[in-house]
């Protein structure tokens, strides 16, 4: 009998020990990553005991060049908690203040199981007078507050980027940080500036309930948030809102399905606008190519690359005034698609003669296989062009990431004449990003002076004071000779002024334009036709350069694209915006 009791006691003790161990594992050791699903038990426990409505997720924001938010906006709204159904919540007076039917407001509350913004999918936006009237009612669970919403027209979506909640990624990036709010930047500036944008805590209205949903501490709703005026931080970009808004509109007006436009300030090399298509889907960014920023992706450039070949030929002394190119010939000796006749070097560039630049590329590469890469780097069109330097503890902080481009995929390609011929006209293995091409145009416009491309001017504290300022940086490496840059300026201008130039449609714009067109074959087919990348890259005004602009329309049939009209409309828009600004300037 005693033996049986002892065995039972040991068994009970063992079971109790196992149960205690399991409870310790759950409550002490695996509270934030329980089971294979890594459930945060603390967070889930709090969720079960509270009803809450988040007013602001606490993450730092991106601002335009004037200091206004780019992707969010705060709106005054009415927040209602479902428990007000148990008290006299003065629904008639609220409905009168809002100028809506009382029955509609009562229906929304009756159907609510969680706190909500009155108006639901179409929130009622309050005036200052309405806010004051609602506050004077002093009804528990009824609040007139500022709530953060996505901007009605979020700007530069792909440029700013995407952020979201990913615990595994958060732990990998910040192993020493212990937070319940694990939202982090995934793409664009959100990714590169993530460490400065991390939220300390959300701002929210909180109401505690028991297991049956009844009030735990009466009917008082509490506000929780970060009272520190210095946080969250804000990132002030170089985006000029007026240009960005109008360029986004023009891309849609010209039915750009895939592509975009990027605009740089020639003097500062700051990004003034960057827009990509297709539109980003805020609810499901990765459902299509909307999350891709094509302005930062390497693309087949076509004849835009002839600018690099021209620079190398000029500086290496290969350009002979008397030399004539037989532009009726194709690259393999066949008849060319465009019969241009016999042209000298300048006219070959203006009319985009393929055989001329194929032959020049072959001469350059035969002399030195690295020659084209050398000049591409001198012009800032391959390798990273983004602002980079030490920032606090980050040794090599880079403002943004982009595909760094290439001329050849391997050394073998440089020994193949046919490969080099195709390379000379921007085909074969040549890949350049629009931001790099814009940088190249700005470099030429400045007379060959290289600068890093800047996307952000400063990081600010929450109260607007400056935490870190980004001064302009020189882009490392050799530069073009001033003489070469001047000759390139003349060539790019002749593309527009020459009657048969590929940019002659820009002759009557309000600003004088210099630039280069490009039509690249992609080898992708649709409905029996090969798709093309259409480019125009240039700068303006020619005599006093202020802007470098690149527009691209990707994967379009050979006879479509409308890229010249898009470029022209953007130039005209900038002129009109500047005129308006000048007319309202306090100095006028």
């Amino acid at each position: 009998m005693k033996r049986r009791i002892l065995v039972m006691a040991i068994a009970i003790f063992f079971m109790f020990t196992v149960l205690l161990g399991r409870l310790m594992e759950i409550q002490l050791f695996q509270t934030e990553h329980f089971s294979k699903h890594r459930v945060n038990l603390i967070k889930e426990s709090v969720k079960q005991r509270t009803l809450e409505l988040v007013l602001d997720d606490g993450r730092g924001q991106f601002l335009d060049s004037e200091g206004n938010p780019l992707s969010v906006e705060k709106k005054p709204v009415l927040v209602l908690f479902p428990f007000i159904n148990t008290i006299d919540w003065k629904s008639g007076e609220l409905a009168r203040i809002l100028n809506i039917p009382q029955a509609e407001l009562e229906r929304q509350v009756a159907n609510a199981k969680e706190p909500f913004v009155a108006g639901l999918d179409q929130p009622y936006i309050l005036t200052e007078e309405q806010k004051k009237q609602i506050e004077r009612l002093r009804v528990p669970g009824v609040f007139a507050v500022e709530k953060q919403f996505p901007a009605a027209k979020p700007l530069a979506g792909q440029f700013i980027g995407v952020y979201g909640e990913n615990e595994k990624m958060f732990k990998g990036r910040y192993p020493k940080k212990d937070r319940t709010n694990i939202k982090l930047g995934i793409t664009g500036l959100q990714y590169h500036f993530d460490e400065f944008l991390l939220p300390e805590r959300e701002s929210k209205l909180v109401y505690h309930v028991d297991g049956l949903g009844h009030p735990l501490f009466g009917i008082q709703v509490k506000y929780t948030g970060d009272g520190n005026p210095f946080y969250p931080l804000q990132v002030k970009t170089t985006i000029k809102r007026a240009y960005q808004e109008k360029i986004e509109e023009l891309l849609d007006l010209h039915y750009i399905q895939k592509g975009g436009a990027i605009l740089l300030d020639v003097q500062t090399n700051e990004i003034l606008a960057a827009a990509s298509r297709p539109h980003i889907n805020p609810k499901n960014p990765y459902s299509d190519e909307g999350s891709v920023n094509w302005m930062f992706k390497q693309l087949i450039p076509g004849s835009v690359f002839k600018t690099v070949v021209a620079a190398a030929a000029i500086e290496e002394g290969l350009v002979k005034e008397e030399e004539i190119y037989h532009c009726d010939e194709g690259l393999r000796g066949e008849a060319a698609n465009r019969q241009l006749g016999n042209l000298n070097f300048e006219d070959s560039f203006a009319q985009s003669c393929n055989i001329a630049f194929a032959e020049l590329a072959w001469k350059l590469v035969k002399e030195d296989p690295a020659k084209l890469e050398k000049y591409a780097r001198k012009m800032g069109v391959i390798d990273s062009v983004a602002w980079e330097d030490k920032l606090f503890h980050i040794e090599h902080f880079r403002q943004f990431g982009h595909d760094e481009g290439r001329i050849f995929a391997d050394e073998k390609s440089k020994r193949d004449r046919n490969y080099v011929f195709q390379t000379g006209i921007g085909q074969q293995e040549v890949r350049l990003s629009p931001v790099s091409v814009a940088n190249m145009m700005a470099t030429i416009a400045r007379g060959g002076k290289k600068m890093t491309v800047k996307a952000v001017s400063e990081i600010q504290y929450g109260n607007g004071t400056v935490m870190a300022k980004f001064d302009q940086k020189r882009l490392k490496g050799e530069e073009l000779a001033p003489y070469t840059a001047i000759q390139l300026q003349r060539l790019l201008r002749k593309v527009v002024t020459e009657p048969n130039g590929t940019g002659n449609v820009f002759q009557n714009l309000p600003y004088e334009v210099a630039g280069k067109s490009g039509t690249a074959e992609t080898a992708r087919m649709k409905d029996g036709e090969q798709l093309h990348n259409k480019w125009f890259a240039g700068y303006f005004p020619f005599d006093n350069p202020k802007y470098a602009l690149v527009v691209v329309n990707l994967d379009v049939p050979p006879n479509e694209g409308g890229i010249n009209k898009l470029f022209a409309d953007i130039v005209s828009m900038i002129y009109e915006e500047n005129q308006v600004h000048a007319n309202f300037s306090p100095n006028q």
Side-chain angles (χ1 to χ4, degrees), residues 505-539:
V505 294
F506 305 127
Q507 290 180 7
N508 297 318
L509 292 179
Y511 286 133
E512 292 185 340
V513 169
K516 187 74 186 78
S517 61
T519 300
E521 297 177 349
T522 66
R524 292 187 290 274
M525 304 295 291
K526 183 179 180 181
D527 299 330
E529 288 187 304
Q530 182 174 203
L531 300 178
H532 290 68
N533 293 343
K534 301 292 185 73
W535 295 66
F536 199 89
Y539 67 89

Side-chain angles (χ1 to χ4, degrees), residues 116-173:
F116 67 99
V117 175
L120 304 175
D121 292 338
Q122 296 181 317
Y124 307 137
I125 307 303
L126 307 178
T127 65
E128 280 298 316
E129 182 58 31
Q130 286 174 322
K131 284 176 62 179
K132 291 176 183 177
Q133 291 181 39
I134 292 169
E135 288 166 359
R136 283 198 289 266
L137 294 178
R138 302 181 67 83
V139 177
V142 176
F143 300 92
V145 294
E146 296 274 328
K147 187 179 185 307
Q148 178 179 288
F149 291 90
K153 287 186 176 180
L155 298 175
Q158 296 87 350
F159 175 69
I160 298 300
V162 173
Y163 73 96
E165 195 165 317
N166 187 311
E167 184 177 3
K168 184 178 180 181
M169 188 183 293
F170 189 94
K171 293 293 184 184
R173 193 181 299 176

Side-chain angles (χ1 to χ4, degrees), residues 362-552:
W362 181 236
K363 287 180 182 179
L364 289 161
V365 172
K366 276 201 306 180
E367 182 180 303
D368 178 358
K371 192 78 76 178
L372 289 178
E373 284 100 336
K374 174 184 175 181
Y375 280 90
R377 288 189 173 92
K378 281 188 173 188
M379 303 170 77
V381 78
I382 59 172
D383 299 335
S384 175
V385 301
W387 189 100
E388 182 177 347
D389 202 357
K390 184 175 181 179
L391 182 64
F392 301 116
H393 64 281
I394 307 171
E395 195 64 34
H396 297 285
F397 178 79
R398 190 177 289 181
Q399 286 196 351
F400 61 91
H402 68 94
D403 291 347
E404 297 183 7
R406 71 176 191 221
I407 309 304
F408 294 99
D410 53 47
E411 293 299 311
K412 182 180 177 182
S413 300
K414 299 176 182 180
R415 298 190 292 271
D416 187 305
R417 181 177 179 272
N418 290 329
Y419 273 33
V420 176
F421 265 35
Q422 290 287 334
T423 299
I425 64 170
Q427 291 285 159
Q428 202 61 36
E429 295 155 345
V430 183
R431 300 291 185 274
L432 305 177
S433 64
V435 65
S436 296
V437 173
N439 181 60
M440 175 180 73
M441 288 295 165
T443 299
I444 294 169
R446 287 191 298 267
K449 180 184 177 184
K450 293 201 304 185
M451 301 167 70
T452 58
V453 177
K454 194 162 69 170
V456 168
S457 60
E458 57 191 35
I459 300 174
Q460 299 178 346
Y461 289 108
N463 62 4
T465 57
V466 177
M467 177 188 185
K469 193 173 182 65
F470 298 95
D471 296 325
Q472 191 48 264
K473 307 284 299 179
R474 179 181 173 274
L475 191 61
K476 295 177 181 177
E478 292 183 78
E479 295 182 342
L480 287 177
Y483 171 80
T484 305
I486 291 170
Q487 295 307 306
L488 288 174
Q489 292 170 3
R490 290 180 57 252
L491 289 175
L492 292 167
R493 179 59 181 154
K494 191 168 183 177
V495 168
V496 176
T497 59
E498 170 72 30
N500 294 320
T502 55
N504 62 12
V505 294
F506 305 127
Q507 290 180 7
N508 297 318
L509 292 179
Y511 286 133
E512 292 185 340
V513 169
K516 187 74 186 78
S517 61
T519 300
E521 297 177 349
T522 66
R524 292 187 290 274
M525 304 295 291
K526 183 179 180 181
D527 299 330
E529 288 187 304
Q530 182 174 203
L531 300 178
H532 290 68
N533 293 343
K534 301 292 185 73
W535 295 66
F536 199 89
Y539 67 89
F540 53 94
F542 176 68
D543 289 329
N544 182 24
K546 293 182 179 179
Y547 309 98
L549 173 64
V550 174
V551 294
V552 293

